[in-house]
């Protein structure tokens, strides 16, 4: 499964790099503005649960291939807003929210994400 991500500060990129080290194909949406295959999106959350503008624009052109989403966030914003962008995208596009993780995630977050991506086909 193709993994696409957006990372302004590098934290989500570091999460994606660990997936690449495990054999996943991970690509930055800024370098791949149009895709023609199914993908899982990893996005950060800004401020009070906002989706980054580049992610919004990317999904305008590519949402038909979105199969699931995961999001990064900061728990300082509280549980209701933590990694909220993933919840909003999942609800808006009717796809599963695979995982929410703090900052660049821990190794356990990577393992959870991988397990859930591998089980995507079994969720039907």
């Amino acid at each position: 499964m193709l993994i696409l991500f957006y990372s302004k500060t590098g934290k989500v990129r570091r999460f994606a790099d660990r997936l690449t080290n495990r054999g996943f194909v991970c690509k930055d949406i800024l370098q791949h503005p149009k895709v023609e295959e199914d993908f899982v999106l990893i996005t950060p959350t800004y401020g009070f649960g906002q989706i980054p503008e580049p992610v919004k624009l990317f999904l305008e052109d590519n949402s038909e291939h979105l199969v699931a989403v995961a999001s990064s966030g900061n728990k300082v914003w509280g549980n209701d807003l933590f990694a909220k962008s993933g919840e909003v995208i999942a609800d808006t596009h009717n796809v599963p929210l695979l995982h929410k993780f703090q900052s660049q995630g821990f190794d356990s977050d990577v393992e959870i994400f991988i397990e859930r991506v591998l089980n995507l086909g079994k969720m039907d």
Side-chain angles (χ1 to χ4, degrees), residues 92-104:
T92 302
H93 297 283
N94 196 31
V95 297
L97 173 63
L98 295 183
H99 191 52
K100 297 188 334 183
F101 57 93
Q102 172 86 9
S103 189
Q104 66 189 18

Side-chain angles (χ1 to χ4, degrees), residues 77-92:
W77 296 102
N79 286 335
D80 290 343
L81 297 176
F82 170 65
K84 183 77 173 176
S85 63
E87 292 177 29
V88 173
I89 290 169
D91 290 345
T92 302

Side-chain angles (χ1 to χ4, degrees), residues 2-59:
L2 175 63
I3 310 295
L4 296 176
F5 67 91
Y6 173 72
S7 183
K8 182 176 180 178
T9 64
K11 293 174 184 169
V12 171
R13 180 179 300 280
R14 286 191 287 279
F15 186 88
D17 286 346
R18 288 187 278 169
L19 296 171
T20 300
N21 291 341
R22 299 284 301 274
F24 285 84
V25 176
C26 298
K27 297 180 180 180
D28 188 325
I29 65 169
L30 297 179
Q31 296 172 359
H32 297 84
K34 184 67 178 158
V35 293
E36 298 295 334
E37 63 185 289
D38 290 347
F39 66 91
V40 172
L41 176 67
I42 307 173
T43 182
T45 301
Y46 290 165
F48 295 99
Q50 287 93 12
I51 299 168
E53 194 63 28
V55 173
K56 289 180 188 177
L57 295 172
F58 176 81
L59 287 173

